[in-house]
Amino acid sequence: MSQARRGRVVAHFGREWAVEDEGGRLVLAYPLAKCRELPCVGDWVQWEPTDAEHGRILEVLPRKTLLTRPGRSGNLRPVAANVDQVLVVLAPEPAYDLLLVDQYLVVCENRKIDTCLVFNKLDLIPEEHRSMLLEGDLAPYRSLYPILLLSAKTGEGMEALRAALKSKVSMFAGQSGVGKSSLLKTLVPNQTIRIGELSASRHRGRHTTTSARLFHLPEGGDLIDTPGVMIFGLAGIDPPQLAFGYREFQRLIPHCRFADCRHAGDAGCAVREAVEKGKISTSRYQRYLKLLEKLPQIS
Ligand code: GDP
Ligand code: ZN
């Protein structure tokens, strides 16, 4: 009789995946050859045990969403599945890179993943300058995305973040040094314990090179952590998708004169016209043009 059951992939270490069964127990499993998709963190899978601590993955269940990164041989590798929202973290230092921020937003828009901007290290900004924060560089984003202002260090604003994470599968993205791991430590106390148990008891610590993990939040919901800077890249994004990823362009695109308008100086472009009339942000539009140039050229 088949022992197949449902589980969830909560970590990935090289050739093994940690699968959590419905009772919350972890086993190490590998996918069978007939398993059509490579599993990734956040996946729901059908699996069967081989002994008390090991199992094999028979099937990756259909995914709601998928984030990928470019692999070594140019193909796309899955990084995290079933993510509901990506929180793009930025901070006063290191200096924020809005081109990177837009890139995350574009990818998520096209993958039907919600996004939110998290401005961390608020403690570094004197009280009297805080009101200016949302009137400067971040102003164009205010009508497009929720923005949370907070500090992992002082705890200010963390309640709003906890509320935003509740009952959802979330992930942080952002450049190195903005405070992603500090936020994770605050949100998930004792985060290393369970995975630590797995590696200590069975695999002599070689699990330190894990690529991604899923943590359960005490308030409900999950947080996926991907070490290092998570590079979604723009691989797989074509020019129409790039334009679609700029939310404020979406309602204008149907009004461009040509269906294949690239919104880059094309005649009769409704996006350009809105920029010229000051109806959409020039800085966002400039970044769109930069990303358009960066897109892998399709010949
Ligand atoms: P990550 O690379 O995005 O994971 O960033 P880290 O969490 O490693 O944080 C980078 C540095 O910023 C560390 O020295 C943290 O102590 C510091 N940091 C994180 N959050 C805050 C904050 O809210 N305020 C201040 N002042 N520093 C912070
Ligand atoms: Zn156009």
Side-chain angles (χ1 to χ4, degrees):
M1 226 181 70
S2 169
Q3 297 257 312
R5 59 197 72 184
R6 243 164 79 95
R8 196 171 189 203
V9 177
V10 295
H12 173 207
F13 332 91
R15 287 193 209 129
E16 286 174 314
W17 284 259
V19 175
E20 186 181 58
D21 72 11
E22 286 179 331
R25 269 176 23 90
L26 295 183
V27 294
L28 282 173
Y30 65 93
L32 289 184
K34 70 170 187 177
C35 187
R36 272 164 296 149
E37 307 276 355
L38 205 57
C40 68
V41 170
D43 263 326
W44 289 96
V45 295
Q46 277 300 114
W47 69 283
E48 62 185 14
T50 48
D51 64 33
E53 300 175 334
H54 297 89
R56 47 192 176 217
I57 297 169
L58 311 171
E59 192 188 349
V60 174
L61 297 172
R63 293 161 168 158
K64 202 156 73 167
T65 64
L66 180 65
L67 284 167
T68 53
R69 67 174 164 79
R72 251 171 264 151
S73 50
N75 55 342
L76 293 177
R77 295 180 64 86
V79 172
N82 302 313
V83 171
D84 296 314
Q85 61 178 355
V86 167
L87 298 112
V88 181
V89 185
L90 56 168
E93 59 161 52
Y96 45 83
D97 176 358
L98 293 176
L99 200 62
L100 184 69
V101 168
D102 281 7
Q103 199 164 312
Y104 289 131
L105 297 174
V106 163
V107 171
C108 291
E109 188 79 15
N110 280 282
R111 303 209 182 260
K112 304 197 166 28
I113 298 173
D114 284 342
T115 38
C116 169
L117 297 187
V118 171
F119 189 94
N120 186 32
K121 308 197 192 182
L122 191 59
D123 57 287
L124 296 182
I125 299 189
E127 204 83 49
E128 63 271 23
H129 293 157
R130 289 187 185 176
S131 60
M132 273 155 54
L133 197 59
L134 294 175
E135 286 154 26
D137 293 337
L138 299 183
Y141 297 93
R142 281 173 75 182
S143 55
L144 302 169
Y145 300 96
I147 304 181
L148 301 179
L149 305 179
L150 49 81
S151 165
K153 188 174 169 183
T154 64
E156 186 182 359
M158 288 296 289
E159 279 319 303
L161 177 61
R162 286 201 169 87
L165 296 172
K166 202 170 174 191
S167 317
K168 291 185 183 158
V169 181
S170 310
M171 207 178 101
F172 290 128
Q175 66 200 98
S176 176
V178 291
K180 298 180 298 298
S181 20
S182 307
L183 289 168
L184 181 83
K185 264 182 229 145
T186 315
L187 295 162
V188 192
N190 308 327
Q191 48 171 301
T192 52
I193 291 179
R194 297 182 68 212
I195 303 284
E197 275 168 19
L198 258 186
S199 49
S201 67
R202 290 160 221 171
H203 284 263
R204 300 171 302 278
R206 71 180 156 93
H207 290 160
T208 45
T209 54
T210 170
S211 56
R213 285 177 193 179
L214 181 144
F215 299 102
H216 301 306
L217 295 164
E219 298 86 1
D222 309 289
L223 196 52
I224 292 181
D225 180 42
T226 54
V229 184
M230 162 69 183
I231 303 169
F232 306 165
L234 284 171
I237 298 287
D238 62 17
Q241 288 172 327
L242 178 66
F244 177 80
Y246 276 79
R247 278 191 178 169
E248 66 274 45
F249 296 6
Q250 288 176 8
R251 64 183 177 82
L252 300 163
I253 293 169
H255 301 289
C256 291
R257 186 179 306 158
F258 300 107
D260 62 351
C261 186
R262 288 167 64 92
H263 325 295
D266 312 51
C269 173
V271 173
R272 183 102 178 186
E273 194 185 306
V275 175
E276 279 159 11
K277 287 189 176 156
K279 289 188 176 156
I280 60 179
S281 150
T282 310
S283 56
R284 285 263 293 169
Y285 179 64
Q286 295 299 342
R287 289 194 285 278
Y288 162 77
L289 293 178
K290 271 197 196 146
L291 291 179
L292 185 64
E293 266 175 38
K294 266 177 68 173
L295 283 191
Q297 294 304 316
I298 303 159
S299 50

